[in-house]
Amino acid sequence: AVSETAEEEECSVYIVGGFVRDLLLSVPTQDLDFVVEGSGGQFAQALMRRIPDGKLTQHIKFGTAQIIFPDGSHLDIASTRWEHYSFPGALPQVEESCLRDDLFRRDFTINSMAICLNTERFGELVDYYGGKQDLQQRKIRFLHNISFIDDPTRMLRAIRFAERYHFEFAKETLDALHTAIETGVLSKLSVERFTEEVLLIFKEVNYLAMGQILVESGLFKAWFGKELAWNFNLDDAENSRDWSINMRWLVSVSQMKSYEIGTLLERVILNKSLRDETIAYVQLRQSLMERLTISEMDRLLNKAPKEVVIVLARDERFKVRIMECLEAGQRINMSLDGKALLQMGLKQGPEIGEILDRVRMAWLEGRISTLEEEQGMARQ
Ligand code: CTP
């Protein structure tokens, strides 16, 4: 459909960026980025006539369009253009330009290749900046030495790609990364964009190694204003593959003091679930420092998000107590519920909750261990 639309619209269409990189590396990728030499908007509209199940959104200001498919995957279409950044970290301004310029505007050589999709040139690789060679030599190399100043998120992207593919930095790129960190380029980045980029890292299989580099390079220190006790332990590499993003995040902050987590939360904008879990983690950890009865502990553990409990159960200080409490919880064989109490003649009201609570505690503390004892207690 793409080739036919390109013929119909008499324009050249290329697939660019991550897809080309991953195709040459033979690794799967999801999103598709097209560049149209000509009007991307017009091409997108013509393409829509051939793929009617997509939903088209156009961003005229940026000269881009996006088609979203029912399964959630998307296809981004840009017209060849030149972007200016009026100040570092700002959103790009767009002007018409040619493919060579469009590719030069990108972050790294390995992301600056294109493949033509027009019928007569189908599959032709366009590689002006040595991307293929850098892929073969496993190098992350920027295209120009103000790349990180143009867009400081590229500092995090560089680390992400290097560790994802086990590539090395080209010397000048590594030097530029360190210079950019030292000269405070990151301060031009918004909290939203920084957070977004960090969370992309937490989605990566290899996020622990990436995290270590973020710490060792001084990038995190530059952003957070101080050294925080991040926990990116490579011993967790195997297990962490199955962890959710929230779980990975909680583990990574688990060595920090509460006030450090406070500092951290001021410098990132997390989604509600991640923020709430981080706060719940700090609060539960604080409570566990105190002497709690098994009933108090049971109440707190039941109230807290599951991931928070799992992360705290990894902490040597609380491990035994949490496991004991969870095991005691599992031994509870409570048959009583609100409905049963109503049938026994109790009136609806707070008393029912209190009785259920009392019976649960009795099970937990081992004061009752049979259904008869439970019935007896409920009648008291
Ligand atoms: N790009 C860039 N600078 C950025 C972000 C993106 O130059 N700060 C360019 C790169 O050419 C990149 C393309 O836009 O290949 C698409 O960006 P994105 O979808 O974010 O990245 P991918 O390279 O597809 O990487 P991923 O596999 O992580 O999706």
Side-chain angles (χ1 to χ4, degrees):
V2 174
S3 307
E4 286 156 11
T5 310
E7 299 316 316
E8 193 178 281
E9 292 295 308
E10 294 180 356
C11 57
S12 298
V13 180
Y14 302 87
I15 190 153
V16 294
F19 179 87
V20 181
R21 175 198 69 217
D22 288 342
L23 183 74
L24 293 175
L25 285 172
S26 307
V27 298
T29 86
Q30 277 178 343
D31 299 330
L32 298 180
D33 288 299
F34 288 174
V35 166
V36 178
E37 270 187 313
S39 164
Q42 220 166 300
F43 172 82
Q45 280 172 1
L47 185 60
M48 281 295 287
R49 290 196 283 275
R50 290 202 149 85
I51 40 173
D53 58 340
K55 191 172 163 291
L56 176 67
T57 325
Q58 294 201 62
H59 305 277
I60 293 159
K61 203 168 147 208
F62 298 120
T64 59
Q66 189 175 58
I67 299 177
I68 302 177
F69 296 101
D71 70 352
S73 63
H74 55 86
L75 192 161
D76 288 306
I77 300 168
S79 357
T80 48
R81 65 198 182 194
W82 185 260
E83 287 180 345
H84 304 291
Y85 292 78
S86 43
F87 61 89
L91 287 167
Q93 294 170 354
V94 181
E95 268 174 34
E96 294 281 323
S97 178
C98 68
L99 180 69
R100 185 184 282 269
D101 290 340
D102 178 283
L103 295 176
F104 188 62
R105 168 185 67 76
R106 289 166 187 272
D107 50 4
F108 309 111
T109 55
I110 58 166
N111 288 340
S112 72
M113 290 177 281
I115 291 175
C116 188
L117 297 178
N118 288 56
T119 315
E120 75 280 12
R121 289 173 58 204
F122 194 87
E124 181 188 311
L125 180 71
V126 180
D127 178 17
Y128 297 122
Y129 307 109
K132 195 170 174 191
Q133 187 180 337
D134 281 336
L135 271 186
Q136 280 160 351
Q137 297 183 351
R138 313 178 75 78
K139 291 274 185 228
I140 303 293
R141 188 191 308 277
F142 59 44
L143 286 159
H144 43 80
N145 57 7
I146 54 161
S147 190
F148 295 140
I149 300 173
D150 267 354
D151 181 353
T153 61
R154 291 175 172 171
M155 299 158 79
L156 291 107
R157 286 173 65 86
I159 293 169
R160 185 153 61 88
F161 291 127
E163 287 308 311
R164 183 200 285 174
Y165 302 117
H166 304 290
F167 281 16
E168 297 206 328
F169 289 102
K171 184 176 181 316
E172 65 275 26
T173 305
L174 187 62
D175 291 346
L177 179 67
H178 286 139
T179 309
I181 293 170
E182 280 158 25
T183 52
V185 167
L186 273 177
S187 63
K188 303 291 187 292
L189 201 56
S190 69
V191 180
E192 285 86 353
R193 290 194 72 202
F194 177 83
T195 309
E196 207 177 298
E197 225 32 72
V198 169
L199 291 181
L200 282 179
I201 285 183
F202 275 85
K203 285 190 184 156
E204 297 275 342
V205 174
N206 252 343
Y207 82 100
L208 292 165
M210 298 173 194
Q212 285 192 343
I213 297 180
L214 290 169
V215 173
E216 283 160 13
S217 64
L219 193 152
F220 265 178
K221 184 171 178 223
W223 179 262
F224 293 105
K226 59 173 133 171
E227 206 89 66
L228 297 173
W230 288 97
N231 175 34
F232 294 114
N233 187 344
L234 288 178
D235 290 345
D236 291 330
E238 252 338 279
N239 291 331
S240 66
R241 277 164 205 258
D242 302 325
W243 292 349
S244 66
I245 305 294
N246 285 20
M247 172 93 180
R248 291 177 174 189
W249 172 263
L250 292 174
V251 171
S252 77
V253 305
S254 61
Q255 307 277 313
M256 292 181 200
K257 303 240 170 9
S258 300
Y259 71 86
E260 288 183 303
I261 298 180
T263 307
L264 169 74
L265 289 182
E266 282 168 21
R267 295 291 291 150
V268 287
I269 297 185
L270 303 177
N271 63 44
K272 188 168 167 4
S273 106
L274 192 48
R275 190 181 162 80
D276 287 353
E277 286 199 10
T278 311
I279 294 170
Y281 169 80
V282 174
Q283 286 172 343
L284 183 56
R285 190 174 67 177
Q286 201 69 33
S287 307
L288 290 177
M289 304 271 197
E290 279 150 39
R291 285 176 81 88
L292 298 172
T293 63
I294 192 156
S295 331
E296 287 168 332
M297 184 115 157
D298 174 72
R299 205 166 288 140
L300 287 173
L301 296 186
N302 272 321
K303 215 171 63 188
K306 210 161 130 211
E307 281 159 332
V308 167
V309 177
I310 298 173
V311 175
L312 281 165
R314 293 166 46 90
D315 190 319
E316 289 301 330
R317 292 170 296 176
F318 316 125
K319 199 181 212 155
V320 174
R321 281 197 293 148
I322 290 181
M323 291 321 283
E324 271 171 10
C325 185
L326 294 178
E327 276 161 23
Q330 272 169 1
R331 281 196 302 270
I332 295 177
N333 184 17
M334 197 160 148
S335 68
L336 209 63
D337 58 11
K339 219 162 112 196
L341 287 175
L342 286 173
Q343 277 166 4
M344 283 163 76
L346 265 108
K347 291 212 174 59
Q348 213 146 15
E351 207 194 345
I352 291 195
E354 283 159 23
I355 295 175
L356 290 175
D357 247 13
R358 225 170 39 230
V359 173
R360 181 174 168 84
M361 292 314 140
W363 272 105
L364 256 182
E365 289 162 10
R367 284 184 278 118
I368 56 176
S369 54
T370 62
L371 294 179
E372 291 77 47
E373 285 172 335
E374 179 190 275
Q375 292 284 327
M377 192 172 176
R379 286 204 184 83
Q380 273 171 25

